[in-house]
Amino acid sequence: ATQSSGSSGINAEYGDACVLLDFCPESGNSTTVCDVCSAGFDEVRSILISTETQTLVQSQMELACKVTGPFSRICTAMVDEALDVVFETLHKELDDVSGQRICQIMHLCKRS
């Protein structure tokens, strides 16, 4: 591994990642770190806000509530209420955010 300090260390790390991930422009690949970051975030966002994820989390939490015995009804009601808030917040915060915008904030994409 190359050891450097300052910005040349960042360039060396980028070069290593470029080769490892096949992002090097000289290899003919036009895929960028920005492309991968944006696509990755878009995929994670779609999973987080999907109804399937909400249903899965809710059913698992309700199963956990069953072990509370006589408190299972209260537990289930509280879990349902909390999950409604969590998923409503996820939808509100993630619906209009693009992967590219998040990756720009993380300095993985250039600002347009």
Side-chain angles (χ1 to χ4, degrees):
T2 306
Q3 289 188 350
S4 342
S5 61
S7 64
S8 62
I10 292 171
N11 289 336
E13 289 172 13
Y14 173 77
D16 293 343
C18 164
V19 171
L20 180 65
L21 301 172
D22 193 26
F23 291 142
C24 305
E26 56 273 10
S27 73
N29 187 344
S30 62
T31 302
T32 65
V33 172
C34 177
D35 295 334
V36 173
C37 177
S38 297
F41 179 80
D42 288 340
E43 184 66 23
V44 168
R45 182 187 66 224
S46 70
I47 291 168
L48 286 175
I49 64 175
S50 74
T51 55
E52 292 85 5
T53 298
Q54 185 170 356
T55 301
L56 178 65
V57 170
Q58 191 158 11
S59 67
Q60 293 302 306
M61 292 302 295
E62 288 173 359
L63 275 174
C65 283
K66 286 184 179 181
V67 301
T68 64
F71 300 106
S72 66
R73 283 188 182 169
I74 294 169
C75 178
T76 299
M78 292 177 71
V79 161
D80 289 346
E81 187 176 326
L83 287 178
D84 285 345
V85 171
V86 167
F87 281 99
E88 181 181 313
T89 302
L90 279 173
H91 278 276
K92 186 169 48 171
E93 296 298 323
L94 297 178
D95 268 347
D96 297 330
V97 177
S98 72
Q100 180 143 3
R101 178 67 187 124
I102 293 298
C103 296
Q104 285 173 344
I105 291 167
M106 296 186 326
H107 303 286
L108 296 173
C109 291
K110 294 179 182 169
R111 296 191 186 271
S112 0

